[in-house]
Amino acid sequence: MPELAISTDKVAFLIEKAREFDVKEGVSDADSGSNAADDNMIDVLEDTGNDPVVQEITSFINAMTEEEQIDLVALMRLGRGDGSIEEWDDLRREAADGRNGRTARYLLGEPLLGDYLAEGLEAFGLSWNDERTTPVV
């Protein structure tokens, strides 16, 4: 079984944050000016373009080593079904070849990122705890 260069805790944090990001929707009440409590807090799920979750994910990924970023992309692709655990070296090589300094943007553009990362961990026989609120660095 291959080994990951990225810790399960870091991937788990990203799964949690990616799922927070995935629930965002387009602005549905652009002219709302009322109190958020009066609107049942629905505006919190709107993607306004300056989402702090995106900034948090981007900063977190950008602070990773090159090897961790390569494994993260390969793990997402493994979970997406682009290859099997037996093809891990190929997935890593493809991720390394495609590396261009925009790993966070690439991953954030992937619908279901959190689910794919979780599936990738599962292929390694690893699980994550969905009760995290802060990263383990």
Side-chain angles (χ1 to χ4, degrees):
M1 177 79 61
E3 290 191 28
L4 287 171
I6 186 170
S7 74
T8 304
D9 287 336
K10 285 184 178 183
V11 176
F13 174 75
L14 285 171
I15 290 169
E16 178 182 305
K17 291 300 171 182
R19 288 181 174 173
E20 283 179 33
F21 176 71
D22 284 345
V23 299
K24 300 287 182 173
E25 61 182 39
V27 177
S28 60
D29 189 14
D31 295 325
S32 172
S34 65
N35 184 326
D38 293 339
D39 290 338
N40 294 323
M41 300 297 287
I42 61 171
D43 289 347
V44 75
L45 295 177
E46 292 182 350
D47 183 7
T48 59
N50 60 349
D51 187 343
V53 175
V54 170
Q55 295 169 3
E56 189 174 10
I57 291 171
T58 300
S59 296
F60 191 72
I61 291 172
N62 289 343
M64 290 180 179
T65 67
E66 183 176 329
E67 291 299 310
E68 288 174 323
Q69 289 183 20
I70 289 168
D71 270 12
L72 190 62
V73 170
L75 195 62
M76 182 277 297
R77 291 178 178 173
L78 175 65
R80 190 172 64 187
D82 293 356
S84 66
I85 193 71
E86 291 80 20
E87 299 167 305
W88 177 251
D89 290 337
D90 294 334
L91 290 169
R92 276 194 100 256
R93 191 172 15 268
E94 290 169 10
D97 290 346
R99 188 163 153 62
N100 60 10
R102 296 184 301 213
T103 303
R105 172 182 264 167
Y106 169 70
L107 291 172
L108 284 168
E110 184 64 45
L112 303 174
L113 173 62
D115 293 343
Y116 292 148
L117 290 173
E119 290 289 326
L121 283 179
E122 220 173 272
F124 273 89
L126 302 169
S127 63
W128 67 285
N129 179 347
D130 62 356
E131 296 177 10
R132 283 180 220 298
T133 56
T134 57
V136 176
V137 185

Short mmCIF file of all heavy atoms in Angstrom, two decimals, residues 12-78:
data_model
loop_
_atom_site.label_atom_id
_atom_site.label_comp_id
_atom_site.label_asym_id
_atom_site.label_seq_id
_atom_site.Cartn_x
_atom_site.Cartn_y
_atom_site.Cartn_z
N ALA A 12 -8.70 15.83 6.29
CA ALA A 12 -9.98 15.91 6.99
C ALA A 12 -10.44 17.35 7.14
O ALA A 12 -11.62 17.68 6.95
CB ALA A 12 -9.88 15.23 8.36
N PHE A 13 -9.51 18.24 7.47
CA PHE A 13 -9.84 19.66 7.58
C PHE A 13 -10.35 20.19 6.24
O PHE A 13 -11.35 20.91 6.17
CB PHE A 13 -8.62 20.45 8.05
CG PHE A 13 -8.84 21.94 8.06
CD1 PHE A 13 -9.62 22.53 9.05
CD2 PHE A 13 -8.29 22.74 7.09
CE1 PHE A 13 -9.83 23.90 9.06
CE2 PHE A 13 -8.49 24.10 7.09
CZ PHE A 13 -9.26 24.69 8.08
N LEU A 14 -9.67 19.81 5.16
CA LEU A 14 -10.09 20.27 3.84
C LEU A 14 -11.43 19.67 3.42
O LEU A 14 -12.22 20.34 2.76
CB LEU A 14 -9.01 19.95 2.80
CG LEU A 14 -7.80 20.87 2.88
CD1 LEU A 14 -6.68 20.36 1.99
CD2 LEU A 14 -8.18 22.29 2.50
N ILE A 15 -11.70 18.45 3.81
CA ILE A 15 -13.00 17.84 3.53
C ILE A 15 -14.09 18.68 4.18
O ILE A 15 -15.09 19.03 3.55
CB ILE A 15 -13.06 16.38 4.03
CG1 ILE A 15 -12.17 15.49 3.17
CG2 ILE A 15 -14.51 15.87 4.01
CD1 ILE A 15 -11.95 14.09 3.74
N GLU A 16 -13.89 19.01 5.44
CA GLU A 16 -14.87 19.81 6.17
C GLU A 16 -15.08 21.16 5.50
O GLU A 16 -16.22 21.60 5.28
CB GLU A 16 -14.40 19.99 7.61
CG GLU A 16 -15.33 20.84 8.44
CD GLU A 16 -14.78 21.04 9.84
OE1 GLU A 16 -14.49 20.04 10.52
OE2 GLU A 16 -14.63 22.21 10.23
N LYS A 17 -13.99 21.83 5.18
CA LYS A 17 -14.09 23.16 4.57
C LYS A 17 -14.68 23.10 3.17
O LYS A 17 -15.45 23.97 2.76
CB LYS A 17 -12.72 23.85 4.54
CG LYS A 17 -12.23 24.23 5.91
CD LYS A 17 -13.20 25.20 6.57
CE LYS A 17 -12.87 25.46 8.00
NZ LYS A 17 -13.84 26.37 8.64
N ALA A 18 -14.31 22.09 2.39
CA ALA A 18 -14.86 21.93 1.04
C ALA A 18 -16.37 21.71 1.10
O ALA A 18 -17.11 22.23 0.26
CB ALA A 18 -14.17 20.77 0.33
N ARG A 19 -16.82 20.98 2.08
CA ARG A 19 -18.26 20.76 2.22
C ARG A 19 -18.98 22.03 2.63
O ARG A 19 -20.11 22.27 2.21
CB ARG A 19 -18.53 19.61 3.19
CG ARG A 19 -18.16 18.28 2.56
CD ARG A 19 -18.41 17.10 3.43
NE ARG A 19 -18.16 15.87 2.68
CZ ARG A 19 -18.16 14.68 3.20
NH1 ARG A 19 -18.39 14.51 4.49
NH2 ARG A 19 -17.93 13.62 2.45
N GLU A 20 -18.33 22.88 3.41
CA GLU A 20 -18.90 24.19 3.73
C GLU A 20 -19.03 25.01 2.45
O GLU A 20 -20.03 25.70 2.24
CB GLU A 20 -18.01 24.95 4.71
CG GLU A 20 -18.10 24.49 6.13
CD GLU A 20 -17.18 25.28 7.05
OE1 GLU A 20 -16.95 26.49 6.80
OE2 GLU A 20 -16.68 24.70 8.03
N PHE A 21 -18.01 24.96 1.62
CA PHE A 21 -18.01 25.70 0.36
C PHE A 21 -19.05 25.15 -0.60
O PHE A 21 -19.74 25.91 -1.28
CB PHE A 21 -16.61 25.64 -0.27
CG PHE A 21 -16.52 26.29 -1.61
CD1 PHE A 21 -16.60 27.67 -1.73
CD2 PHE A 21 -16.35 25.53 -2.76
CE1 PHE A 21 -16.51 28.29 -2.97
CE2 PHE A 21 -16.26 26.13 -4.00
CZ PHE A 21 -16.34 27.51 -4.11
N ASP A 22 -19.22 23.85 -0.68
CA ASP A 22 -20.14 23.21 -1.62
C ASP A 22 -21.60 23.58 -1.38
O ASP A 22 -22.40 23.50 -2.31
CB ASP A 22 -20.00 21.68 -1.59
CG ASP A 22 -18.75 21.20 -2.32
OD1 ASP A 22 -18.15 21.99 -3.07
OD2 ASP A 22 -18.37 20.03 -2.12
N VAL A 23 -21.96 23.97 -0.18
CA VAL A 23 -23.36 24.29 0.09
C VAL A 23 -23.73 25.71 -0.32
O VAL A 23 -24.89 26.08 -0.26
CB VAL A 23 -23.74 24.08 1.58
CG1 VAL A 23 -23.55 22.65 1.99
CG2 VAL A 23 -23.01 25.03 2.49
N LYS A 24 -22.74 26.48 -0.77
CA LYS A 24 -23.02 27.85 -1.21
C LYS A 24 -23.87 27.84 -2.47
O LYS A 24 -23.80 26.94 -3.30
CB LYS A 24 -21.71 28.61 -1.47
CG LYS A 24 -20.82 28.73 -0.27
CD LYS A 24 -21.36 29.69 0.72
CE LYS A 24 -20.41 29.81 1.90
NZ LYS A 24 -20.79 30.85 2.82
N GLU A 25 -24.68 28.88 -2.61
CA GLU A 25 -25.52 29.03 -3.78
C GLU A 25 -25.42 30.46 -4.28
O GLU A 25 -24.86 31.33 -3.61
CB GLU A 25 -26.97 28.70 -3.45
CG GLU A 25 -27.56 29.61 -2.38
CD GLU A 25 -28.98 29.25 -2.01
OE1 GLU A 25 -29.29 28.06 -1.93
OE2 GLU A 25 -29.76 30.18 -1.81
N GLY A 26 -25.97 30.72 -5.44
CA GLY A 26 -25.96 32.07 -5.99
C GLY A 26 -26.80 33.00 -5.12
O GLY A 26 -27.64 32.57 -4.33
N VAL A 27 -26.57 34.29 -5.29
CA VAL A 27 -27.31 35.29 -4.52
C VAL A 27 -28.78 35.21 -4.90
O VAL A 27 -29.14 35.33 -6.06
CB VAL A 27 -26.74 36.70 -4.78
CG1 VAL A 27 -27.56 37.75 -4.04
CG2 VAL A 27 -25.28 36.77 -4.36
N SER A 28 -29.63 34.99 -3.91
CA SER A 28 -31.06 34.86 -4.17
C SER A 28 -31.86 36.07 -3.72
O SER A 28 -33.00 36.25 -4.11
CB SER A 28 -31.60 33.59 -3.49
OG SER A 28 -31.39 33.68 -2.10
N ASP A 29 -31.26 36.90 -2.90
CA ASP A 29 -31.96 38.07 -2.37
C ASP A 29 -30.99 39.25 -2.36
O ASP A 29 -30.58 39.72 -1.31
CB ASP A 29 -32.50 37.77 -0.96
CG ASP A 29 -33.42 38.85 -0.44
OD1 ASP A 29 -33.85 39.70 -1.24
OD2 ASP A 29 -33.70 38.85 0.77
N ALA A 30 -30.63 39.70 -3.56
CA ALA A 30 -29.58 40.71 -3.69
C ALA A 30 -29.93 42.03 -3.02
O ALA A 30 -29.04 42.76 -2.59
CB ALA A 30 -29.30 40.95 -5.16
N ASP A 31 -31.19 42.36 -2.93
CA ASP A 31 -31.59 43.65 -2.35
C ASP A 31 -31.99 43.54 -0.89
O ASP A 31 -32.60 44.45 -0.35
CB ASP A 31 -32.74 44.25 -3.16
CG ASP A 31 -32.30 44.59 -4.57
OD1 ASP A 31 -31.13 44.99 -4.73
OD2 ASP A 31 -33.11 44.43 -5.50
N SER A 32 -31.67 42.43 -0.28
CA SER A 32 -32.00 42.27 1.12
C SER A 32 -31.23 43.29 1.93
O SER A 32 -30.09 43.50 1.74
CB SER A 32 -31.61 40.87 1.59
OG SER A 32 -31.75 40.77 2.99
N GLY A 33 -31.82 43.95 2.78
CA GLY A 33 -31.14 44.90 3.63
C GLY A 33 -31.61 44.72 5.05
O GLY A 33 -31.27 45.48 5.95
N SER A 34 -32.37 43.70 5.22
CA SER A 34 -32.95 43.47 6.53
C SER A 34 -31.99 42.73 7.45
O SER A 34 -30.92 42.32 7.05
CB SER A 34 -34.25 42.69 6.40
OG SER A 34 -33.99 41.41 5.90
N ASN A 35 -32.41 42.56 8.62
CA ASN A 35 -31.64 41.85 9.64
C ASN A 35 -31.55 40.37 9.26
O ASN A 35 -32.54 39.76 8.88
CB ASN A 35 -32.37 42.03 10.98
CG ASN A 35 -31.63 41.43 12.13
OD1 ASN A 35 -30.96 40.41 12.00
ND2 ASN A 35 -31.75 42.06 13.27
N ALA A 36 -30.36 39.81 9.38
CA ALA A 36 -30.15 38.40 9.02
C ALA A 36 -31.05 37.47 9.82
O ALA A 36 -31.53 36.46 9.30
CB ALA A 36 -28.69 38.02 9.23
N ALA A 37 -31.31 37.81 11.05
CA ALA A 37 -32.18 36.96 11.88
C ALA A 37 -33.60 36.95 11.34
O ALA A 37 -34.30 35.94 11.43
CB ALA A 37 -32.16 37.44 13.32
N ASP A 38 -34.02 38.06 10.75
CA ASP A 38 -35.37 38.11 10.16
C ASP A 38 -35.49 37.25 8.91
O ASP A 38 -36.56 36.83 8.54
CB ASP A 38 -35.74 39.56 9.80
CG ASP A 38 -35.90 40.44 11.02
OD1 ASP A 38 -36.12 39.90 12.13
OD2 ASP A 38 -35.81 41.67 10.87
N ASP A 39 -34.36 37.05 8.24
CA ASP A 39 -34.33 36.25 7.02
C ASP A 39 -33.98 34.79 7.28
O ASP A 39 -33.63 34.07 6.36
CB ASP A 39 -33.32 36.82 6.03
CG ASP A 39 -33.77 38.15 5.44
OD1 ASP A 39 -34.98 38.41 5.45
OD2 ASP A 39 -32.90 38.90 4.99
N ASN A 40 -34.01 34.37 8.53
CA ASN A 40 -33.66 33.00 8.91
C ASN A 40 -32.23 32.64 8.52
O ASN A 40 -31.94 31.50 8.22
CB ASN A 40 -34.64 31.99 8.32
CG ASN A 40 -36.02 32.15 8.89
OD1 ASN A 40 -36.18 32.43 10.08
ND2 ASN A 40 -37.03 31.99 8.06
N MET A 41 -31.36 33.63 8.45
CA MET A 41 -29.93 33.43 8.16
C MET A 41 -29.67 32.79 6.81
O MET A 41 -28.63 32.18 6.59
CB MET A 41 -29.26 32.60 9.27
CG MET A 41 -29.34 33.21 10.65
SD MET A 41 -28.48 34.77 10.80
CE MET A 41 -26.79 34.23 10.76
N ILE A 42 -30.59 32.94 5.83
CA ILE A 42 -30.39 32.30 4.53
C ILE A 42 -29.24 32.92 3.75
O ILE A 42 -28.63 32.28 2.92
CB ILE A 42 -31.67 32.30 3.66
CG1 ILE A 42 -32.13 33.74 3.37
CG2 ILE A 42 -32.76 31.49 4.31
CD1 ILE A 42 -33.24 33.83 2.36
N ASP A 43 -28.93 34.21 4.02
CA ASP A 43 -27.84 34.86 3.27
C ASP A 43 -26.49 34.24 3.56
O ASP A 43 -25.56 34.40 2.77
CB ASP A 43 -27.80 36.35 3.60
CG ASP A 43 -28.98 37.11 2.99
OD1 ASP A 43 -29.67 36.53 2.13
OD2 ASP A 43 -29.19 38.27 3.37
N VAL A 44 -26.33 33.52 4.66
CA VAL A 44 -25.04 32.91 4.99
C VAL A 44 -24.65 31.83 3.97
O VAL A 44 -23.48 31.53 3.81
CB VAL A 44 -25.04 32.36 6.43
CG1 VAL A 44 -25.82 31.05 6.52
CG2 VAL A 44 -23.64 32.17 6.95
N LEU A 45 -25.62 31.30 3.26
CA LEU A 45 -25.34 30.26 2.26
C LEU A 45 -25.14 30.82 0.86
O LEU A 45 -24.98 30.07 -0.08
CB LEU A 45 -26.48 29.22 2.25
CG LEU A 45 -26.63 28.41 3.53
CD1 LEU A 45 -27.83 27.47 3.44
CD2 LEU A 45 -25.37 27.64 3.83
N GLU A 46 -25.16 32.14 0.73
CA GLU A 46 -24.98 32.74 -0.58
C GLU A 46 -23.50 32.97 -0.87
O GLU A 46 -22.74 33.39 -0.01
CB GLU A 46 -25.74 34.07 -0.66
CG GLU A 46 -27.24 33.87 -0.63
CD GLU A 46 -28.01 35.18 -0.76
OE1 GLU A 46 -27.40 36.26 -0.68
OE2 GLU A 46 -29.23 35.10 -0.93
N ASP A 47 -23.12 32.72 -2.10
CA ASP A 47 -21.75 32.95 -2.54
C ASP A 47 -21.66 34.37 -3.06
O ASP A 47 -22.13 34.68 -4.14
CB ASP A 47 -21.38 31.95 -3.64
CG ASP A 47 -19.94 32.08 -4.08
OD1 ASP A 47 -19.20 32.85 -3.44
OD2 ASP A 47 -19.57 31.41 -5.05
N THR A 48 -21.03 35.22 -2.28
CA THR A 48 -20.94 36.64 -2.64
C THR A 48 -19.62 36.99 -3.29
O THR A 48 -19.37 38.15 -3.58
CB THR A 48 -21.13 37.51 -1.38
OG1 THR A 48 -20.11 37.17 -0.43
CG2 THR A 48 -22.50 37.29 -0.76
N GLY A 49 -18.74 36.05 -3.52
CA GLY A 49 -17.48 36.32 -4.18
C GLY A 49 -16.33 36.62 -3.23
O GLY A 49 -15.18 36.60 -3.62
N ASN A 50 -16.63 36.93 -2.00
CA ASN A 50 -15.56 37.19 -1.02
C ASN A 50 -15.74 36.24 0.17
O ASN A 50 -15.66 36.64 1.31
CB ASN A 50 -15.56 38.65 -0.58
CG ASN A 50 -16.88 39.06 0.07
OD1 ASN A 50 -17.86 38.34 0.01
ND2 ASN A 50 -16.90 40.23 0.67
N ASP A 51 -15.93 35.01 -0.16
CA ASP A 51 -16.22 33.97 0.82
C ASP A 51 -15.00 33.68 1.69
O ASP A 51 -13.95 33.31 1.18
CB ASP A 51 -16.65 32.70 0.08
CG ASP A 51 -17.14 31.61 0.98
OD1 ASP A 51 -16.88 31.67 2.19
OD2 ASP A 51 -17.80 30.69 0.47
N PRO A 52 -15.12 33.82 3.00
CA PRO A 52 -13.98 33.52 3.87
C PRO A 52 -13.56 32.05 3.84
O PRO A 52 -12.41 31.73 4.11
CB PRO A 52 -14.45 33.94 5.26
CG PRO A 52 -15.93 34.02 5.18
CD PRO A 52 -16.27 34.30 3.75
N VAL A 53 -14.48 31.15 3.51
CA VAL A 53 -14.13 29.73 3.42
C VAL A 53 -13.16 29.51 2.25
O VAL A 53 -12.19 28.77 2.38
CB VAL A 53 -15.39 28.84 3.27
CG1 VAL A 53 -15.02 27.39 3.05
CG2 VAL A 53 -16.29 28.98 4.49
N VAL A 54 -13.40 30.19 1.15
CA VAL A 54 -12.50 30.08 -0.01
C VAL A 54 -11.12 30.60 0.37
O VAL A 54 -10.10 29.98 0.05
CB VAL A 54 -13.06 30.86 -1.21
CG1 VAL A 54 -12.03 30.96 -2.33
CG2 VAL A 54 -14.32 30.20 -1.73
N GLN A 55 -11.08 31.71 1.05
CA GLN A 55 -9.81 32.29 1.48
C GLN A 55 -9.08 31.35 2.44
O GLN A 55 -7.87 31.19 2.35
CB GLN A 55 -10.04 33.65 2.12
CG GLN A 55 -10.57 34.67 1.14
CD GLN A 55 -11.05 35.95 1.82
OE1 GLN A 55 -10.94 36.12 3.02
NE2 GLN A 55 -11.60 36.85 1.01
N GLU A 56 -9.83 30.73 3.34
CA GLU A 56 -9.23 29.81 4.30
C GLU A 56 -8.66 28.57 3.60
O GLU A 56 -7.54 28.15 3.88
CB GLU A 56 -10.29 29.41 5.33
CG GLU A 56 -9.75 28.64 6.49
CD GLU A 56 -10.79 28.39 7.57
OE1 GLU A 56 -11.99 28.64 7.35
OE2 GLU A 56 -10.39 27.93 8.64
N ILE A 57 -9.42 28.00 2.68
CA ILE A 57 -8.97 26.83 1.93
C ILE A 57 -7.73 27.18 1.11
O ILE A 57 -6.74 26.45 1.10
CB ILE A 57 -10.08 26.27 1.03
CG1 ILE A 57 -11.21 25.65 1.87
CG2 ILE A 57 -9.53 25.24 0.04
CD1 ILE A 57 -12.45 25.29 1.07
N THR A 58 -7.79 28.30 0.42
CA THR A 58 -6.68 28.73 -0.43
C THR A 58 -5.41 28.93 0.39
O THR A 58 -4.33 28.44 0.01
CB THR A 58 -7.05 30.01 -1.19
OG1 THR A 58 -8.21 29.74 -2.00
CG2 THR A 58 -5.92 30.48 -2.07
N SER A 59 -5.53 29.62 1.50
CA SER A 59 -4.35 29.85 2.36
C SER A 59 -3.79 28.55 2.90
O SER A 59 -2.57 28.35 2.95
CB SER A 59 -4.72 30.77 3.52
OG SER A 59 -5.08 32.03 3.05
N PHE A 60 -4.68 27.65 3.29
CA PHE A 60 -4.27 26.38 3.86
C PHE A 60 -3.51 25.55 2.82
O PHE A 60 -2.43 25.01 3.10
CB PHE A 60 -5.49 25.62 4.37
CG PHE A 60 -5.18 24.42 5.20
CD1 PHE A 60 -4.67 24.55 6.48
CD2 PHE A 60 -5.39 23.15 4.70
CE1 PHE A 60 -4.38 23.43 7.25
CE2 PHE A 60 -5.10 22.02 5.46
CZ PHE A 60 -4.59 22.17 6.74
N ILE A 61 -4.05 25.47 1.60
CA ILE A 61 -3.40 24.69 0.54
C ILE A 61 -2.08 25.34 0.13
O ILE A 61 -1.07 24.66 -0.06
CB ILE A 61 -4.33 24.51 -0.67
CG1 ILE A 61 -5.50 23.58 -0.28
CG2 ILE A 61 -3.59 23.94 -1.88
CD1 ILE A 61 -6.60 23.48 -1.33
N ASN A 62 -2.06 26.66 0.01
CA ASN A 62 -0.84 27.36 -0.40
C ASN A 62 0.28 27.20 0.61
O ASN A 62 1.46 27.29 0.25
CB ASN A 62 -1.12 28.83 -0.66
CG ASN A 62 -1.93 29.06 -1.93
OD1 ASN A 62 -2.03 28.19 -2.79
ND2 ASN A 62 -2.52 30.23 -2.03
N ALA A 63 -0.06 26.94 1.87
CA ALA A 63 0.96 26.77 2.91
C ALA A 63 1.53 25.34 2.92
O ALA A 63 2.51 25.08 3.60
CB ALA A 63 0.37 27.11 4.28
N MET A 64 0.94 24.44 2.16
CA MET A 64 1.41 23.06 2.10
C MET A 64 2.69 22.95 1.29
O MET A 64 2.96 23.78 0.43
CB MET A 64 0.35 22.16 1.45
CG MET A 64 -0.86 21.95 2.27
SD MET A 64 -2.00 20.87 1.34
CE MET A 64 -3.31 20.77 2.52
N THR A 65 3.41 21.87 1.53
CA THR A 65 4.58 21.58 0.72
C THR A 65 4.13 21.13 -0.67
O THR A 65 2.97 20.76 -0.88
CB THR A 65 5.44 20.46 1.34
OG1 THR A 65 4.69 19.22 1.29
CG2 THR A 65 5.84 20.78 2.76
N GLU A 66 5.06 21.12 -1.60
CA GLU A 66 4.76 20.66 -2.95
C GLU A 66 4.29 19.21 -2.94
O GLU A 66 3.33 18.85 -3.63
CB GLU A 66 6.00 20.81 -3.83
CG GLU A 66 5.78 20.43 -5.27
CD GLU A 66 7.00 20.67 -6.14
OE1 GLU A 66 7.77 21.60 -5.85
OE2 GLU A 66 7.17 19.92 -7.11
N GLU A 67 4.95 18.37 -2.16
CA GLU A 67 4.57 16.96 -2.07
C GLU A 67 3.15 16.78 -1.52
O GLU A 67 2.40 15.93 -1.99
CB GLU A 67 5.57 16.18 -1.22
CG GLU A 67 6.94 16.04 -1.85
CD GLU A 67 6.90 15.30 -3.18
OE1 GLU A 67 6.31 14.21 -3.25
OE2 GLU A 67 7.47 15.83 -4.15
N GLU A 68 2.80 17.58 -0.52
CA GLU A 68 1.45 17.50 0.04
C GLU A 68 0.42 17.92 -1.00
O GLU A 68 -0.63 17.29 -1.13
CB GLU A 68 1.33 18.39 1.28
CG GLU A 68 2.06 17.86 2.49
CD GLU A 68 2.04 18.84 3.66
OE1 GLU A 68 2.13 20.07 3.44
OE2 GLU A 68 1.92 18.36 4.80
N GLN A 69 0.71 18.98 -1.75
CA GLN A 69 -0.23 19.43 -2.77
C GLN A 69 -0.39 18.39 -3.88
O GLN A 69 -1.51 18.16 -4.35
CB GLN A 69 0.24 20.77 -3.36
CG GLN A 69 0.10 21.93 -2.41
CD GLN A 69 0.50 23.25 -3.03
OE1 GLN A 69 0.54 23.40 -4.25
NE2 GLN A 69 0.79 24.22 -2.18
N ILE A 70 0.70 17.76 -4.26
CA ILE A 70 0.63 16.70 -5.28
C ILE A 70 -0.24 15.56 -4.78
O ILE A 70 -1.11 15.06 -5.50
CB ILE A 70 2.04 16.22 -5.66
CG1 ILE A 70 2.76 17.32 -6.46
CG2 ILE A 70 2.00 14.90 -6.44
CD1 ILE A 70 4.24 17.08 -6.66
N ASP A 71 -0.02 15.13 -3.55
CA ASP A 71 -0.84 14.05 -2.98
C ASP A 71 -2.30 14.45 -2.87
O ASP A 71 -3.20 13.63 -3.07
CB ASP A 71 -0.31 13.62 -1.62
CG ASP A 71 0.73 12.51 -1.71
OD1 ASP A 71 1.19 12.23 -2.83
OD2 ASP A 71 1.05 11.92 -0.67
N LEU A 72 -2.56 15.71 -2.55
CA LEU A 72 -3.93 16.18 -2.42
C LEU A 72 -4.66 16.09 -3.76
O LEU A 72 -5.79 15.59 -3.83
CB LEU A 72 -3.93 17.62 -1.90
CG LEU A 72 -5.26 18.20 -1.48
CD1 LEU A 72 -5.86 17.40 -0.33
CD2 LEU A 72 -5.07 19.66 -1.07
N VAL A 73 -4.02 16.53 -4.82
CA VAL A 73 -4.63 16.45 -6.15
C VAL A 73 -4.80 14.98 -6.55
O VAL A 73 -5.87 14.58 -7.04
CB VAL A 73 -3.78 17.21 -7.19
CG1 VAL A 73 -4.27 16.93 -8.61
CG2 VAL A 73 -3.81 18.71 -6.91
N ALA A 74 -3.79 14.16 -6.33
CA ALA A 74 -3.88 12.74 -6.67
C ALA A 74 -4.98 12.05 -5.85
O ALA A 74 -5.71 11.21 -6.38
CB ALA A 74 -2.54 12.05 -6.44
N LEU A 75 -5.12 12.43 -4.60
CA LEU A 75 -6.14 11.86 -3.73
C LEU A 75 -7.54 12.21 -4.22
O LEU A 75 -8.45 11.37 -4.25
CB LEU A 75 -5.93 12.36 -2.30
CG LEU A 75 -6.64 11.64 -1.18
CD1 LEU A 75 -6.19 10.19 -1.10
CD2 LEU A 75 -6.36 12.35 0.14
N MET A 76 -7.72 13.47 -4.65
CA MET A 76 -9.01 13.88 -5.21
C MET A 76 -9.32 13.07 -6.46
O MET A 76 -10.42 12.59 -6.64
CB MET A 76 -8.99 15.39 -5.51
CG MET A 76 -10.30 15.95 -6.05
SD MET A 76 -10.59 15.76 -7.82
CE MET A 76 -9.25 16.70 -8.52
N ARG A 77 -8.32 12.91 -7.31
CA ARG A 77 -8.53 12.15 -8.55
C ARG A 77 -8.79 10.67 -8.27
O ARG A 77 -9.60 10.04 -8.96
CB ARG A 77 -7.33 12.31 -9.48
CG ARG A 77 -7.23 13.73 -10.02
CD ARG A 77 -6.03 13.91 -10.89
NE ARG A 77 -5.98 15.26 -11.43
CZ ARG A 77 -4.96 15.75 -12.11
NH1 ARG A 77 -3.91 14.99 -12.36
NH2 ARG A 77 -4.99 16.99 -12.55
N LEU A 78 -8.15 10.12 -7.27
CA LEU A 78 -8.40 8.74 -6.86
C LEU A 78 -9.85 8.61 -6.40
O LEU A 78 -10.56 7.69 -6.81
CB LEU A 78 -7.45 8.34 -5.73
CG LEU A 78 -7.65 6.97 -5.10
CD1 LEU A 78 -7.37 5.85 -6.11
CD2 LEU A 78 -6.74 6.82 -3.88
#
